[in-house]
Amino acid sequence: MSGKGKVTIYDLAQQLNTTASTVSRALQDNPRISAKMREAVQKLARELHYIPDPIAHHLRTGKGNALGIIVPRIDRNFFAAIISSFQQTASKHNYQVIIAASGESQQEEENAIKALVQKKVDGIAMSLAIESHDANYEALLEAHNIPLVYFDRVPMQSETDTVTNDNFQVGYDAVMQFHKIGCKKIAHFAGTMSQYSYAERFRGYRKALEDLGLPYKEDWVFQNSITIEAGTEAAQKILQMEDRPDAIFSSGDFPAITAIDTFRRKGIHVPDDIAIIGVANEPFDNYLSTPLSSFDLHQQRIGEMAANILLSRLGETSEEIKQTAHLIVNHDLILRESAI
């Protein structure tokens, strides 16, 4: 053993009376090394708790066998499900995943990008923070030859790969469902208009109102309302209106559920007095006092597709993506009591 430091391939080679290169190949299960030697090396590595040095591996192969994923929040089932499917897909190709969260801060997002570059990841998938109004990470990552794919929350214009839903259609479908049940004054809890996904939901909402000849009022659109706190504030403003909307299309489930609770406390019944549809189909939606109708965006598919794009860019799959990919994941409106 080399002093009190960590176990190295040289320690393994010395004990087995072989070379470091033989040990390295044996650890990678290289068929050029005899089965007997591979078994001996791997057995000793387990006994001595050997852990490969990722930097040395990167220098030797040009790959760190690691992908990074950055999400705005980890404490949301929507993003947790994306991370899970992303990780499962990466694991099938022997890639580890390093997870980072921006906490909706552009500064923390930038810090996460730089940290992942320093950790020699081979590719990065990310969903933008609410504060990321002018995010431009492509040049930095191109300089380090690291492919990037945006998912869910993506920039308004992107020259790199993206995986999203048809968010225009999500907004359009929400209004059409409200119209189907007789609602005519439809409000919108909107996300930030600097991000394509939220801007598209708003555009779909506006177009459906126009096609149906329904009124659009700026007072019925609540900007940057995708948090619990924003949902409560928006609901309280609606309660103070003389001309109240009779439906709300919410760009997220969390403001929708807090709006339901705020209305209930004031004797406003959902959906008889005001119908509500959210986005994300969180697991708790079905267990609320008034179960929430919501769009299932199939986040597991989003994570899988984001990972597959990166793996393809890294030459790990047979699928070739020659041009910038803008992939669309289908959505489904799950109807529950809040909008039927």
Side-chain angles (χ1 to χ4, degrees):
M1 297 290 291
S2 55
K4 295 183 179 181
K6 65 180 181 180
V7 179
T8 69
I9 60 172
Y10 299 100
D11 297 321
L12 301 179
Q14 184 178 25
Q15 291 205 30
L16 294 169
N17 195 28
T18 187
T19 64
S21 61
T22 297
V23 169
S24 177
R25 292 191 181 98
L27 289 170
Q28 298 174 55
D29 220 20
N30 191 315
R32 293 174 57 187
I33 308 301
S34 70
K36 183 177 179 181
M37 177 58 78
R38 294 202 305 269
E39 183 179 348
V41 169
Q42 292 169 13
K43 181 175 181 293
L44 182 61
R46 289 193 298 270
E47 291 174 352
L48 299 181
H49 306 292
Y50 167 76
I51 299 176
D53 184 340
I55 296 178
H57 177 76
H58 187 272
L59 291 172
R60 184 171 64 254
T61 66
K63 291 185 176 181
N65 281 92
L67 301 177
I69 183 168
I70 304 172
V71 295
R73 304 177 69 104
I74 293 178
D75 60 345
R76 292 288 186 270
N77 177 75
F78 179 81
F79 291 116
I82 290 175
I83 291 170
S84 178
S85 61
F86 183 89
Q87 194 164 27
Q88 289 173 15
T89 305
S91 180
K92 292 176 183 177
H93 295 269
N94 298 315
Y95 276 77
Q96 299 296 313
V97 173
I98 301 175
I99 303 165
S102 66
E104 303 289 10
S105 162
Q106 183 168 357
Q107 183 59 58
E108 289 302 314
E109 189 172 81
E110 293 174 1
N111 292 342
I113 287 277
K114 292 174 183 177
L116 290 173
V117 170
Q118 291 173 343
K119 292 181 183 297
K120 307 294 184 184
V121 297
D122 299 299
I124 295 175
M126 70 180 301
S127 184
L128 292 171
I130 286 297
E131 292 182 5
S132 293
H133 301 305
D134 54 355
N136 184 6
Y137 304 112
E138 288 88 340
L140 168 63
L141 296 179
E142 283 178 6
H144 292 273
N145 198 30
I146 297 175
L148 168 67
V149 56
Y150 289 108
F151 63 88
D152 185 50
R153 297 188 195 169
V154 303
M156 288 296 293
Q157 294 182 334
S158 177
E159 297 180 0
T160 191
D161 300 320
T162 60
V163 181
T164 62
N165 301 97
D166 186 344
N167 286 288
F168 172 89
Q169 196 64 44
V170 167
Y172 196 95
D173 290 349
V175 173
M176 288 298 174
Q177 173 59 25
F178 288 135
H179 180 257
K180 183 178 179 181
I181 62 175
C183 299
K184 297 182 179 179
K185 299 189 294 184
I186 303 168
H188 181 35
F189 290 178
T192 174
M193 292 298 105
S194 64
Q195 288 178 6
Y196 182 75
S197 302
Y198 291 127
E200 283 293 283
R201 288 175 198 170
F202 173 70
R203 192 170 70 87
Y205 156 81
R206 283 291 307 269
K207 185 64 168 65
L209 293 179
E210 178 184 329
D211 288 352
L212 293 169
L214 297 178
Y216 168 77
K217 294 182 63 174
E218 290 188 3
D219 288 349
W220 291 349
V221 177
F222 299 85
Q223 300 287 348
N224 300 320
S225 294
I226 62 166
T227 64
I228 288 175
E229 296 78 12
T232 301
E233 182 179 347
Q236 289 172 342
K237 288 181 179 178
I238 288 173
L239 288 171
Q240 296 169 6
M241 293 179 176
E242 291 186 8
D243 185 19
R244 290 179 186 166
D246 57 10
I248 300 170
F249 165 48
S250 174
S251 275
D253 279 355
F254 282 86
I257 63 170
T258 193
I260 290 175
D261 184 61
T262 302
F263 293 144
R264 180 183 60 80
R265 293 173 186 273
K266 295 296 184 180
I268 304 298
H269 189 264
V270 175
D272 294 344
D273 299 318
I274 187 165
I276 302 179
I277 293 176
V279 175
N281 195 35
E282 295 284 353
F284 51 72
D285 288 351
N286 200 41
Y287 303 100
L288 301 172
S289 57
T290 302
L292 176 65
S293 296
S294 183
F295 285 93
D296 188 341
L297 302 183
H298 300 293
Q299 54 265 45
Q300 295 84 358
R301 184 66 177 142
I302 293 174
E304 178 186 2
M305 291 172 71
N308 278 329
I309 287 176
L310 291 180
L311 292 166
S312 175
R313 296 297 185 203
L314 295 168
E316 296 290 351
T317 67
S318 57
E319 181 182 2
E320 291 188 12
I321 305 176
K322 295 181 179 180
Q323 298 179 338
T324 302
H326 297 298
L327 304 185
I328 302 296
V329 176
N330 292 333
H331 63 270
D332 291 298
L333 175 56
I334 309 301
L335 288 173
R336 302 187 180 95
E337 188 179 330
S338 73
I340 56 176

